[in-house]
Amino acid sequence: MRRPPACLRRLRRAARHASASLAVIGWCAGGAAAALNSLSEIKASRASVVHLPCDGVRGIAVSGGTLWLLATGNRGLAAPETHFQSRILSLELATGAVDTLSTEADGYETGLAYDGAFLWSGGSLLGDHAGLFRIATDLGTVVVTLPSPGYHPAGLTVAGGYLWQADADSRKLYRLDMQEGKVSRKLPAPGFYPTGLTHDGSRFWCADASTGRLYRLKGFNAEPDGVVAADAFDFPGRFVSLAWDRGGLWAVAADDSQAVRIELGH
């Protein structure tokens, strides 16, 4: 059977994302949402707030005292339009100094992770496919481009020597090697619209826009075993990015211009 033209496929994808965005709040009724709501609550608090130099942040990573921010003009849930521009910024927490690492047109636009040497981001408009980009932290140049296993890579993190991707289109978590992008695991995400993903050294944390909640996932099977208290994390219908940093989480919503530091209870 002959495939439809690329432009038609993009229109269908755009329509699917628009429908998901409109229905995202109402999805919570049903068995899947009930199962998530039965998870034990994790005590947490909003310890601090850092004001950012921009909004439209759709990826965040931490390196020492530096917050790396991926900022675009997209403040909602849908994949970007045909053309867009992204910036990677560094924010020094101690001084508030801001620097622009790079500016990219029609490339990376969602998710940000740091592997100790390079940054990683994703984009959903690499021709007819999505891509994952390894980015040098000194010049901001893309040094490697890998195929993405899903159309809308939203959250990225590095764990166990692999790159992990939360895909908002397929509602899956993918484990990929960082050399060729080969997928070695595919797991269900805890919700209808996963956006942020990070790892604390032993467990994953995944933000979901359909429920607005933050889930803890145990082991590398990524099974949900807890949900952060709503008074510390409650972002229904919003694209939230995550980063783990020395015992706590950073969370930033794309339609806001502040990053929230969430400290977990013991």
Side-chain angles (χ1 to χ4, degrees), residues 121-202:
S121 186
S124 58
L125 287 176
L126 185 67
D128 293 333
H129 307 280
L132 300 171
F133 306 94
R134 187 164 69 192
I135 304 163
T137 58
D138 52 353
L139 300 175
T141 54
V142 174
V143 294
V144 172
T145 300
L146 302 175
S148 167
Y151 175 71
H152 192 181
L156 295 172
T157 192
V158 175
Y162 293 92
L163 181 67
W164 290 78
Q165 171 189 329
D167 192 84
D169 183 61
S170 64
R171 304 186 293 279
K172 301 289 185 184
L173 305 181
Y174 297 100
R175 186 181 74 177
L176 308 95
D177 76 76
M178 291 185 282
Q179 300 302 316
E180 298 179 354
K182 182 180 179 180
V183 176
S184 54
R185 296 204 74 176
K186 180 172 65 174
L187 304 168
F192 182 79
Y193 205 106
T195 60
L197 184 68
T198 192
H199 195 265
D200 66 9
S202 60

Side-chain angles (χ1 to χ4, degrees), residues 12-259:
R12 288 176 178 172
R13 288 165 178 162
R16 187 169 67 248
H17 281 292
S19 297
S21 298
L22 291 173
V24 71
I25 303 301
W27 173 80
C28 296
L36 292 176
N37 289 334
S38 68
L39 295 172
S40 62
E41 184 178 88
I42 301 167
K43 294 181 180 180
S45 62
R46 297 191 176 196
S48 60
V49 173
V50 172
H51 294 283
L52 304 177
C54 59
D55 60 4
V57 173
R58 293 169 66 85
I60 182 172
V62 182
S63 175
T66 301
L67 284 183
W68 300 95
L69 307 170
L70 174 67
T72 76
N74 190 347
R75 296 165 179 83
L77 296 177
E81 300 297 332
T82 304
H83 299 289
F84 60 92
Q85 188 174 76
S86 300
R87 293 178 296 152
I88 295 180
L89 310 173
S90 64
L91 171 63
E92 298 299 325
L93 291 172
T95 64
V98 178
D99 189 26
T100 299
L101 175 65
S102 66
T103 300
E104 178 77 11
D106 301 341
Y108 44 79
E109 51 86 20
T110 49
L112 202 61
Y114 183 62
D115 66 8
F118 296 94
L119 290 167
W120 289 86
S121 186
S124 58
L125 287 176
L126 185 67
D128 293 333
H129 307 280
L132 300 171
F133 306 94
R134 187 164 69 192
I135 304 163
T137 58
D138 52 353
L139 300 175
T141 54
V142 174
V143 294
V144 172
T145 300
L146 302 175
S148 167
Y151 175 71
H152 192 181
L156 295 172
T157 192
V158 175
Y162 293 92
L163 181 67
W164 290 78
Q165 171 189 329
D167 192 84
D169 183 61
S170 64
R171 304 186 293 279
K172 301 289 185 184
L173 305 181
Y174 297 100
R175 186 181 74 177
L176 308 95
D177 76 76
M178 291 185 282
Q179 300 302 316
E180 298 179 354
K182 182 180 179 180
V183 176
S184 54
R185 296 204 74 176
K186 180 172 65 174
L187 304 168
F192 182 79
Y193 205 106
T195 60
L197 184 68
T198 192
H199 195 265
D200 66 9
S202 60
R203 295 161 297 192
F204 290 100
W205 300 82
C206 186
D208 184 76
S210 65
T211 61
R213 306 306 299 276
L214 174 58
Y215 300 98
R216 185 178 65 192
L217 315 177
K218 63 180 181 180
F220 286 109
N221 290 323
E223 297 178 4
D225 75 336
V227 58
V228 170
D231 56 356
F233 191 100
D234 191 17
F235 293 91
R238 301 169 73 182
F239 190 108
V240 178
S241 300
L242 299 174
W244 177 262
D245 177 36
R246 293 172 295 183
L249 290 151
W250 287 102
V252 56
D255 58 352
D256 204 350
S257 58
Q258 61 182 25

